[in-house]
Amino acid sequence: MHRMILSVLFWTITCGAALAEKTAYQCVITGASGRQWIQPLIFIALDRASDRVVVSDAAILGYNDGVPVEGRLVRDNAARVTVAWELDMRSTSNQTVRMAYRATYLKANGKVNVSARPIGFEGQFSRAGTCKVTKLSG
């Protein structure tokens, strides 16, 4: 499964502007499991030339026909990169719920904070972890 996610993400970030800087974040989330709203392994691709963001994890691939989702760049400065995305999912009671996600990567220490909020419902879920960053050009 990890190879499939990496393959799709690599393909996604290598398409686009020829000379743009692209950054891939492979984030391991502490205390998360595959049965929770926040997945234990999240991949984020950022193309700074177009501010294009693509996000993938096991839940995204499962609920989105095996395709990563487009996200949006919220902030990119000297201290952090924040991205957001949404995903339609099903709860344990088989109810459709649209989740709004936000991930903030802290450049100084490599830590990431991820939150998930069900749109139209109470509550928010959050987890933290670390990311391995790979910069690609061309």
Side-chain angles (χ1 to χ4, degrees), residues 34-54:
R35 294 180 176 213
Q36 295 177 341
W37 297 112
I38 298 173
Q39 294 294 295
L41 187 58
I42 301 171
F43 298 94
I44 301 167
L46 170 60
D47 181 341
R48 285 184 169 79
S50 62
D51 288 341
R52 183 174 184 216
V53 174
V54 178

Side-chain angles (χ1 to χ4, degrees), residues 29-98:
I29 309 304
T30 306
S33 78
R35 294 180 176 213
Q36 295 177 341
W37 297 112
I38 298 173
Q39 294 294 295
L41 187 58
I42 301 171
F43 298 94
I44 301 167
L46 170 60
D47 181 341
R48 285 184 169 79
S50 62
D51 288 341
R52 183 174 184 216
V53 174
V54 178
V55 184
S56 185
D57 65 23
I60 290 170
L61 296 178
Y63 286 103
N64 201 41
D65 294 327
V67 179
V69 297
E70 292 280 337
R72 64 183 172 82
L73 183 63
V74 176
R75 176 168 286 121
D76 185 5
N77 59 34
R80 71 193 69 216
V81 172
T82 301
V83 299
W85 68 97
E86 293 183 358
L87 180 65
D88 289 326
M89 303 175 79
R90 291 223 173 255
S91 69
T92 54
S93 61
N94 206 28
Q95 181 178 13
T96 299
V97 60
R98 185 160 189 84

